[in-house]
């Protein structure tokens, strides 16, 4: 029902964008102090265009993440945490645009990447684990299918090798009966188990 409602909302919502709003800002160069950062975000601004005018949802955030480091973004609901993460991955929803700033990952400027460049990075170099597992797992496919298909596509594995790797990953995230979970549908899992499936993915 959540997937259906999201699709219905997208189809009915007025998504007319002013032409002047369709722009991507030129990336700025990260300062020298960020040279050892795996991820360096500088003055990131994200906006959405509506008929009533542009709305900025991320207001110039900057941070570094170095190899082996953990960084927490803390803020109230609607403060731009998810929009920042989706910007880094090139996954902003329709109408969202990076309007200014720089995102450098392993020395590469991500704001200049096209869809193909992001496809090469996502899932092998950089990934996102959403906090709502049940709205991010498709209820019409088994867990196994949702793990195997991306691995076959991204890594070029055979069906048997992808299945073996999926079972290994499920075991690695602490699932005690990976075969059972592999054959299950997301709605048959607890929230915590579904979260582990997303981490495995």
């Amino acid at each position: 029902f959540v997937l259906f409602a999201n699709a219905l909302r997208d189809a009915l919502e007025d998504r007319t964008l002013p032409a002047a709003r369709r722009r991507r800002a030129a990336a700025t160069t990260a300062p020298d102090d960020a040279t050892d950062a795996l991820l360096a975000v500088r003055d990131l601004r994200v906006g959405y265009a509506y008929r009533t005018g542009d709305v900025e949802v991320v207001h110039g955030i900057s941070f570094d993440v170095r190899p082996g480091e953990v960084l927490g973004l803390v803020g109230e609901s609607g403060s731009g945490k998810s929009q920042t993460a989706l910007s880094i991955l090139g996954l902003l929803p329709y109408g969202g645009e990076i309007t200014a700033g720089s995102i450098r990952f392993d020395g590469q400027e991500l704001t200049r990447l096209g869809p193909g460049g992001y496809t090469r990075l996502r899932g092998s170099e950089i990934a996102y684990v959403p906090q709502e597992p049940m709205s991010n797992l498709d209820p019409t496919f088994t867990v196994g299918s949702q793990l195997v298909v991306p691995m076959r596509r991204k890594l070029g594995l055979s069906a048997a090798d992808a299945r073996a790797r999926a079972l290994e990953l499920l075991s690695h995230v602490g699932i005690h009966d990976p075969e059972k979970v592999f054959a299950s549908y997301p709605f048959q899992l607890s929230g915590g188990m579904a979260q582990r499936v997303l981490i495995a993915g």
Side-chain angles (χ1 to χ4, degrees), residues 59-171:
H59 313 289
I61 188 171
S62 298
F63 60 86
D64 294 333
V65 182
R66 290 169 178 80
E69 190 173 53
V70 175
L71 172 76
L73 291 180
V74 180
E76 64 187 17
S77 179
S79 63
K81 302 181 301 294
S82 295
Q83 295 297 307
T84 299
L86 294 174
S87 298
I88 293 167
L89 291 162
L91 294 175
L92 283 172
Y94 181 84
E97 193 77 43
I98 296 171
T99 59
S102 168
I103 303 170
R104 295 185 69 81
F105 176 72
D106 201 16
Q108 183 174 17
E109 181 56 53
L110 300 188
T111 59
R112 296 186 184 132
L113 281 185
Y118 271 113
T119 299
R120 286 189 292 276
L121 280 179
R122 284 192 299 252
S124 55
E125 301 295 324
I126 191 168
Y128 171 65
V129 181
Q131 68 177 4
E132 297 293 337
M134 289 311 185
S135 61
N136 287 279
L137 291 170
D138 192 324
T140 61
F141 293 94
T142 63
V143 165
S145 172
Q146 294 181 66
L147 293 176
V148 164
V149 169
M151 280 195 286
R152 292 195 67 191
R153 201 166 169 194
K154 181 77 178 176
L155 305 175
L157 299 178
S158 68
D161 288 345
R163 184 182 194 281
R165 179 68 177 137
L167 291 171
E168 178 187 341
L169 288 168
L170 289 173
S171 179

Side-chain angles (χ1 to χ4, degrees), residues 2 8 41 43-44 55 66 68 70 94 117 119 139 145 151 158 181 197:
V2 170
L8 186 62
V41 176
D43 194 31
L44 178 66
V55 176
R66 290 169 178 80
V70 175
Y94 181 84
T119 299
S145 172
M151 280 195 286
S158 68
V181 171
V197 167

